[in-house]
Amino acid sequence: MKIIDFLTVFFGKVMVKTLHLLKRDAGNAPGLVLWTLNKKCLRAFKVDCPIIAVTGTNGKTSVTNYLNNIFSQGDKHIITNRQGNNLDTGICSLLLNNCTMTGKVHADYLVLEVDESHVPVVFSQLKLETLVVLNFFRDQLDRNGEVETLILKVKKFLETYEGNLILNGDDPNTCRLGLANPNNKNVYYFSVDKYKYATEKLYEAGEGRFCPECGTALEYSYYQYSHVGDFHCPKCGFGNIKPYVQFKNVDLREPSFTVENDKYVTVNNSIYNMYNLAAVYTASKIYNIDKDIVRDCILNFRVNNGRMESFQYNNSTLTLNLAKNPVGANMTLRMLNEDENEKELLFVLNDNLADGHDVSWIWDINFTIFNNVTRVVTSGTRAYDIAVRIKNSGYDPEKIVVKPDLNDAVEFLFSISGRKYAIANYTAVQPTRTALKNFINGKAETV
Ligand SMILES: [Zn+2]
């Protein structure tokens, strides 16, 4: 370690301690300052435990929270960024908050959610033991660029990586990463067997239609959602992997699945949650975690935090789900459409820095099937854009109500009782939760 790295961490730690003494929440600021001063500062942390990282476009926060729940059982000490501060500066802040003055980080496990584009820089400096890659979808084009650029960046890092690599074997974009380093014997694929609503055709914008090895069009026997499904290359055989873990008998009604001849029941009824759980199960299996712990977590643990979170007000149930790209939004709409009852939709769209200012991704959302949706309320800084998008899909404009102020939108939504769904993008999800809670609690107090 260079003395300069040691000094930057020491300086950062003094900064954190001072902020604590002043009773100020240090937040992301110390990491940002340190990173600005020295982009190699992560080298100075001495972590004495395995580091498990989760990356991919959708599901990082959920999987990280599940792993944190499982790995912390039995009084294990976990350090994790469960709130999703997943950039290099966020991880730097997390370590600063949990290290000694000399940069020692002591825990049983570090479980980190890491933004895809930050994986190479963070783990060229910290020794990674296990990397989970969930999926790659088109996401925040103005910040991340095309998805192919991002995949190549991660692939380059993996060419010299020999740790555990847990990959979604049903997504060609992640499956291909297993070929990045032929010397790595620690590649584990997870897969989910065909479920009831799998389709023979691709109905949503998908990436990865061509074989990354030889460029031939991939052949699919079915799509689970977006471009995730059972594929192979007819020319070179890419995609013929042997899954280490495969979920079978997926039933979204109960919801449940079987794996290794055992049945598991869970709380979330979406196919993409099944994929998240398959990733969680795989990591738990590699680390020999007691199956009862895994079963209990799968049965009872809820991530909440705007991920399939339920809110109850009088006779109305609302399910809120974060969606920051077309695939995420399509998944919530799929769930909404699989519900035969009448329902309303609230869509909150912001265009702040963390969302990407470019909201053109909403045109890749599939609004053509709107099964029994009686009313749509739109809100957020781009409330009008999403209203226009939905109107353009052929939905009756008379049933679309624009309420840019979130509190107004929530109040209006609950002026009629009944089943409700809400979609909110990245910076919209927490304000939407707050508006929902304030409305529900405020009303409860006056009853
Ligand atoms: Zn091929």
Side-chain angles (χ1 to χ4, degrees):
M1 180 176 61
K2 292 187 177 160
I3 187 77
I4 184 74
D5 298 337
F6 173 80
L7 287 173
T8 30
V9 167
F10 185 79
F11 167 72
K13 195 65 197 173
V14 170
M15 190 162 44
V16 168
K17 291 231 179 231
T18 311
L19 284 166
H20 283 171
L21 280 174
L22 296 170
K23 298 204 182 331
R24 301 274 287 274
D25 178 18
N28 208 24
L32 188 62
V33 172
L34 222 63
W35 196 256
T36 310
L37 288 173
N38 179 358
K39 292 200 168 25
K40 299 270 169 66
C41 63
L42 287 171
R43 292 187 307 196
F45 292 101
K46 294 180 284 294
V47 181
D48 70 353
C49 65
I51 302 180
I52 302 167
V54 182
T55 195
T57 312
N58 288 344
K60 290 188 286 288
T61 304
S62 296
V63 170
T64 304
N65 278 268
Y66 268 109
L67 290 177
N68 180 43
N69 181 278
I70 288 174
F71 281 67
S72 62
Q73 299 296 318
D75 287 335
K76 293 278 193 293
H77 176 45
I78 308 283
I79 296 174
T80 184
N81 51 350
R82 92 182 65 188
Q83 296 301 335
N85 39 350
N86 64 16
L87 308 182
D88 39 26
T89 51
I91 289 159
C92 196
S93 284
L94 179 78
L95 296 180
L96 268 182
N97 275 301
N98 289 282
C99 73
T100 64
M101 293 307 285
T102 56
K104 282 186 185 147
V105 180
H106 173 67
D108 290 296
Y109 299 100
L110 234 69
V111 182
L112 302 175
E113 165 184 342
V114 185
D115 184 271
E116 308 85 277
S117 62
H118 290 248
V119 165
V121 65
V122 169
F123 298 113
S124 61
Q125 299 180 43
L126 293 172
K127 186 169 167 38
L128 182 61
E129 185 169 288
T130 298
L131 178 66
V132 183
V133 191
L134 299 170
N135 46 55
F136 280 106
F137 299 115
R138 194 178 299 184
D139 179 41
Q140 301 187 1
L141 288 178
D142 55 346
R143 188 169 73 82
N144 283 330
E146 280 297 336
V147 67
E148 181 67 16
T149 315
L150 204 54
I151 297 167
L152 291 177
K153 215 169 159 180
V154 177
K155 185 168 175 255
K156 178 97 184 116
F157 163 76
L158 293 175
E159 283 169 5
T160 53
Y161 172 74
E162 293 192 351
N164 297 322
L165 182 58
I166 299 175
L167 300 172
N168 181 350
D170 296 346
D171 177 353
N173 290 338
T174 53
C175 188
R176 64 192 277 197
L177 298 177
L179 306 171
N181 180 2
N183 295 321
N184 188 355
K185 304 290 180 239
N186 305 304
V187 179
Y188 304 91
Y189 297 99
F190 62 87
S191 168
V192 176
D193 210 7
K194 187 179 184 181
Y195 90 121
K196 188 180 170 186
Y197 298 97
T199 54
E200 285 182 13
K201 284 187 185 151
L202 179 66
Y203 286 102
E204 297 152 8
E207 309 290 336
R209 295 179 192 191
F210 298 95
C211 174
E213 295 298 300
C214 73
T216 308
L218 293 173
E219 288 183 357
Y220 275 78
S221 47
Y222 58 83
Y223 296 89
Q224 303 274 50
Y225 72 97
S226 190
H227 62 255
V228 174
D230 183 37
F231 64 89
H232 74 280
C233 170
K235 192 174 173 191
C236 75
F238 168 71
N240 292 326
I241 49 113
K242 190 173 179 302
Y244 177 69
V245 162
Q246 185 165 41
F247 279 16
K248 294 183 175 171
N249 306 313
V250 167
D251 180 353
L252 296 187
R253 297 293 154 197
E254 194 172 2
S256 62
F257 60 88
T258 55
V259 60
E260 299 179 305
N261 298 320
D262 286 329
K263 182 176 174 180
Y264 289 76
V265 177
T266 180
V267 283
N268 285 323
N269 61 346
S270 74
I271 185 68
Y272 84 25
N273 189 58
M274 292 294 172
Y275 275 91
N276 288 345
L277 291 179
V280 169
Y281 187 94
T282 309
S284 306
K285 186 177 171 182
I286 290 171
Y287 282 90
N288 285 317
I289 304 283
D290 186 333
K291 278 196 180 173
D292 287 340
I293 292 176
V294 178
R295 180 185 298 282
D296 184 59
C297 173
I298 286 174
L299 178 62
N300 295 312
F301 183 66
R302 287 175 184 271
V303 176
N304 286 334
N305 199 19
R307 275 80 176 172
M308 303 293 290
E309 187 170 3
S310 279
F311 294 84
Q312 195 70 37
Y313 173 67
N314 289 344
N315 293 325
S316 301
T317 303
L318 180 145
T319 304
L320 167 67
N321 201 19
L322 162 80
K324 53 193 174 70
N325 46 46
V327 174
N330 283 333
M331 283 313 301
T332 311
L333 291 176
R334 179 181 282 229
M335 196 176 57
L336 169 146
N337 287 325
E338 286 167 5
D339 178 349
E340 295 294 332
N341 301 311
E342 287 193 345
K343 59 263 171 179
E344 295 171 278
L345 172 68
L346 167 67
F347 203 123
V348 190
L349 182 68
N350 280 352
D351 64 349
N352 297 319
L353 182 65
D355 302 305
H357 299 309
D358 176 3
V359 294
S360 62
W361 62 274
I362 60 175
W363 292 88
D364 285 332
I365 303 174
N366 185 358
F367 285 108
T368 51
I369 316 160
F370 246 176
N371 186 11
N372 260 341
V373 178
T374 53
R375 199 169 61 161
V376 173
V377 180
T378 68
S379 190
T381 55
R382 300 295 284 266
Y384 287 95
D385 295 70
I386 189 66
V388 167
R389 168 67 190 98
I390 293 170
K391 176 181 174 229
N392 200 271
S393 70
Y395 187 71
D396 182 356
E398 298 283 317
K399 296 179 181 172
I400 305 175
V401 179
V402 182
K403 296 275 181 190
D405 181 87
L406 249 175
N407 293 320
D408 291 350
V410 167
E411 186 161 2
F412 185 77
L413 190 71
F414 283 102
S415 61
I416 299 174
S417 64
R419 187 73 175 95
K420 299 170 200 313
Y421 290 84
I423 296 176
N425 73 332
Y426 200 60
T427 68
V429 75
Q430 295 309 330
T432 303
R433 294 179 78 216
T434 306
L436 285 166
K437 284 178 183 173
N438 285 347
F439 176 80
I440 292 166
N441 293 335
K443 291 288 171 187
E445 279 165 20
T446 56
V447 167

